[in-house]
């Protein structure tokens, strides 16, 4: 009702009850300076009535929240720690877990799509990508198993024969 003078309200519909990303909360909050849910570093990052658009918002969500391969660094204060050994290990673990949670959420979306026309479109899309999502999930879980095995043996993992 106050749009476009104020940013629209955006609700993330989390189907797994867990925070998938530093910007996406389990209860639905979307943390983004353009939405006014985060202060940001510059006034230009905030919603500008008469200038900011829904397209700008969607592109920002896609680029800064949904499409980053390393969501750990979306958390304020972590970017300057990039490259530190402890940080890189935490980031790798967090990012892998976030990826697995995202894949799990995608698979649940297939089983229980939203209602209405959007749900039908979502179900059609999820059905078309379901095999890829399942394969990605299996591959990521397998690589985590190998990583855990390598860590527990002091860095010398061997592949098991089929």
């Amino acid at each position: 009702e106050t749009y476009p003078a104020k940013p629209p309200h955006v609700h993330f519909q989390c189907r797994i009850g867990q925070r998938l990303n530093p910007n996406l909360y389990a209860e639905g909050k979307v943390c983004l300076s353009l939405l006014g849910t985060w202060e940001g570093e510059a006034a230009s990052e905030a919603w500008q009535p008469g200038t900011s658009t829904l397209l700008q918002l969607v592109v920002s969500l896609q680029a800064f929240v949904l499409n980053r391969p390393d969501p750990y660094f979306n958390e304020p204060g972590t970017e300057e720690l990039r490259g530190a050994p402890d940080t890189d290990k935490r980031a790798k673990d967090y990012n892998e877990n976030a990826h697995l949670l995202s894949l799990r959420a995608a698979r649940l979306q297939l089983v229980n799509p939203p209602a209405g026309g959007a749900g039908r479109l979502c179900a059609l899309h999820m059905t078309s990508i379901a095999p890829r999502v399942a394969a990605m999930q299996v591959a990521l879980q397998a690589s985590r198993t190998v990583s855990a095995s390598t860590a527990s043996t002091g860095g010398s993992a061997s592949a098991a024969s089929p």
Side-chain angles (χ1 to χ4, degrees), residues 25 28 38-40 44 48 65 75 85 107 111 120 136 147 155:
Y25 289 76
W38 170 250
E39 290 179 17
S44 62
Q48 305 294 319
V65 177
E75 193 69 54
R107 292 186 77 180
V111 174
R120 288 190 295 279
M136 288 168 56
S147 293

Side-chain angles (χ1 to χ4, degrees), residues 5 21 25 43 52 62 96-97 104 116 130 151:
N21 178 303
Y25 289 76
S52 296
Q62 182 180 13
E96 286 179 354
N97 190 52
R104 182 173 165 228

Side-chain angles (χ1 to χ4, degrees), residues 80-144:
E80 54 270 6
L81 300 174
R82 190 185 290 267
D86 289 349
T87 300
D88 284 352
K89 169 78 171 99
R90 280 192 305 273
K92 181 180 182 295
D93 292 345
Y94 181 95
N95 296 337
E96 286 179 354
N97 190 52
H99 194 163
L100 278 171
L101 288 172
S102 295
L103 292 170
R104 182 173 165 228
R107 292 186 77 180
L108 288 173
Q109 191 80 358
L110 177 63
V111 174
N112 186 19
R120 288 190 295 279
L121 182 62
C122 182
L124 181 63
H125 172 70
M126 293 309 295
T127 299
S128 73
I129 67 166
R132 282 193 331 226
V133 169
M136 288 168 56
Q137 190 170 16
V138 167
L140 185 55
Q141 287 172 326
S143 74
R144 290 186 84 179

